[in-house]
Amino acid sequence: MFTEPYARFAEVYDSMGADDFSIKMTEYCRKIFRRFKINPCTGLDICCGTGTAIKKFSELGIHMCGLDRSAAMLAVAAKKLKGHRVTLYQKPLPRFRIIDALDSRKTRRFDLVTCFFDSLNYLKNQRELGQAFKSIYIHLNSGGYFIFDMNTPAAMKILWGGQVFVKSSPNLFTVWHNEYYPKTKSAKCTATFFKKKGTTWERFDEEHLERAYDNRTIKKTLRDSGLVVKGFYRCLSFEKPAKGTYRICGVAKRPV
Ligand SMILES: C[S@@+](CC[C@H](N)C(=O)[O-])C[C@H]1O[C@@H](n2cnc3c(N)ncnc32)[C@H](O)[C@@H]1O
């Protein structure tokens, strides 16, 4: 029996080091800010998970909000962000809408929107990806930036396809079993967790489905939603993605 994605994974996410990548992304974003002379006052981290990136950006002085569809992930984020002036929203992509607190007819806008750790790969198809980019566009101030990473089709096929990963620690044992579907460039990861509970072990299972798009499709979908592509890189570098690159980073701007 599968629980909803992240319903139980949330409670072990940080202790497994799964949030390490978002720390790397916030450090990489600082380099992107310098390269594009971005100086955001406000930010929204969508698919914010356990809130690690929000905490890092808040520490840089950016007034942050977060959004995710998973109540369990947001509960962990809320605990982590206690004492920070942060608002968290439980809303799903692609059609999230955050209302302006001062005028309910208006959409709240930000200088920066971020989305890390292949969260956009969870969208089911290109139409949903386009709707998400459009939602991001409407939540950006003019001149605002959107920075994200995504798994590539190569990652789905080689890193995920047919692979089994086992991770073991004194209180947690996990098995990740992956399947690749070439027709849709998607992959399913079936995760089984055994968590130590006193002297026994509790088991829970989750299924995670991700879909990847080629670089040209992602850039076209960004442009079709009104955003201007300012940078497209092998993630965590400023190099052009190569054929076998597993993760890309996109930097897009809402034109002034
Ligand atoms: C791999 S985690 C990444 C979390 C965080 N960004 C990080 O870097 O650690 C993916 C997150 O995306 C969220 N997510 C996936 N699909 C979503 C959707 N359609 N709408 C909102 N959140 C979604 C999940 O709930 C989860 O918290």
Side-chain angles (χ1 to χ4, degrees):
M1 196 59 172
F2 296 110
T3 59
E4 214 177 278
Y6 296 98
R8 297 295 310 271
F9 187 7
E11 66 203 65
V12 294
Y13 191 87
D14 288 1
S15 66
M16 283 178 63
D19 67 332
D20 287 354
F21 182 73
S22 63
I23 297 174
K24 284 197 187 123
M25 281 306 287
T26 56
E27 286 158 7
Y28 178 47
C29 276
R30 292 182 73 172
K31 295 183 192 161
I32 294 173
F33 294 168
R34 283 197 288 274
R35 194 179 181 95
F36 291 95
K37 299 187 174 44
I38 307 171
N39 192 9
C41 294
T42 57
L44 171 69
D45 188 35
I46 57 172
C47 304
C48 65
T50 60
T52 300
I54 296 179
K55 187 161 182 272
K56 289 278 167 199
F57 283 136
S58 297
E59 286 162 3
L60 294 180
I62 307 172
H63 184 201
M64 289 298 296
C65 290
L67 175 146
D68 203 286
R69 71 173 169 194
S70 162
M73 292 295 261
L74 287 172
V76 178
K79 234 180 184 177
K80 185 180 295 170
L81 297 165
K82 220 171 162 192
H84 290 258
R85 279 184 47 232
V86 161
T87 313
L88 298 174
Y89 299 92
Q90 189 185 359
K91 280 183 188 286
L93 261 59
R95 287 222 166 93
F96 61 95
R97 180 162 178 253
I98 300 175
I99 310 269
D100 192 308
L102 300 176
D103 183 346
S104 63
R105 289 165 303 175
K106 285 190 182 161
T107 299
R108 185 158 178 191
R109 289 180 176 190
F110 302 85
D111 298 335
L112 174 72
V113 175
T114 50
C115 188
F116 298 152
F117 211 13
D118 43 90
S119 301
L120 288 169
N121 292 95
Y122 279 81
L123 294 167
K124 289 195 197 88
N125 49 47
Q126 200 190 332
R127 189 169 58 86
E128 281 202 4
L129 186 67
Q131 286 168 346
F133 287 162
K134 192 83 210 163
S135 299
I136 289 154
Y137 174 93
I138 68 163
H139 284 85
L140 278 172
N141 284 319
S142 68
Y145 276 82
F146 170 45
I147 304 175
F148 66 97
D149 69 82
M150 280 180 88
N151 271 334
T152 63
M156 297 283 98
K157 188 175 172 184
I158 298 155
L159 274 188
W160 286 44
Q163 303 288 344
V164 178
F165 302 103
V166 176
K167 251 189 152 183
S168 157
S169 69
N171 296 316
L172 188 69
F173 184 82
T174 53
V175 184
W176 308 79
H177 175 259
N178 303 310
E179 276 172 75
Y180 176 62
Y181 308 105
K183 223 173 156 184
T184 50
K185 297 190 179 87
S186 58
K188 182 169 74 183
C189 169
T190 310
T192 302
F193 301 77
F194 293 93
K195 189 183 173 198
K196 198 155 193 195
K197 210 176 170 196
T199 53
T200 60
W201 291 81
E202 184 191 10
R203 172 178 173 165
F204 49 92
D205 300 81
E206 290 189 2
E207 255 184 11
H208 293 253
L209 193 66
E210 290 201 7
R211 184 166 181 169
Y213 307 89
D214 56 53
N215 296 340
R216 198 185 294 185
T217 302
I218 299 171
K219 287 191 231 175
K220 182 180 183 307
T221 312
L222 284 164
R223 283 194 292 267
D224 288 349
S225 68
L227 293 161
V228 177
V229 181
K230 302 296 282 185
F232 206 84
Y233 308 112
R234 184 165 63 77
C235 194
L236 301 176
S237 82
F238 289 108
E239 282 162 29
K240 254 175 112 174
K243 216 174 168 206
T245 294
Y246 290 147
R247 185 181 296 277
I248 58 87
C249 167
V251 180
K253 182 178 182 180
R254 177 172 168 153
V256 178

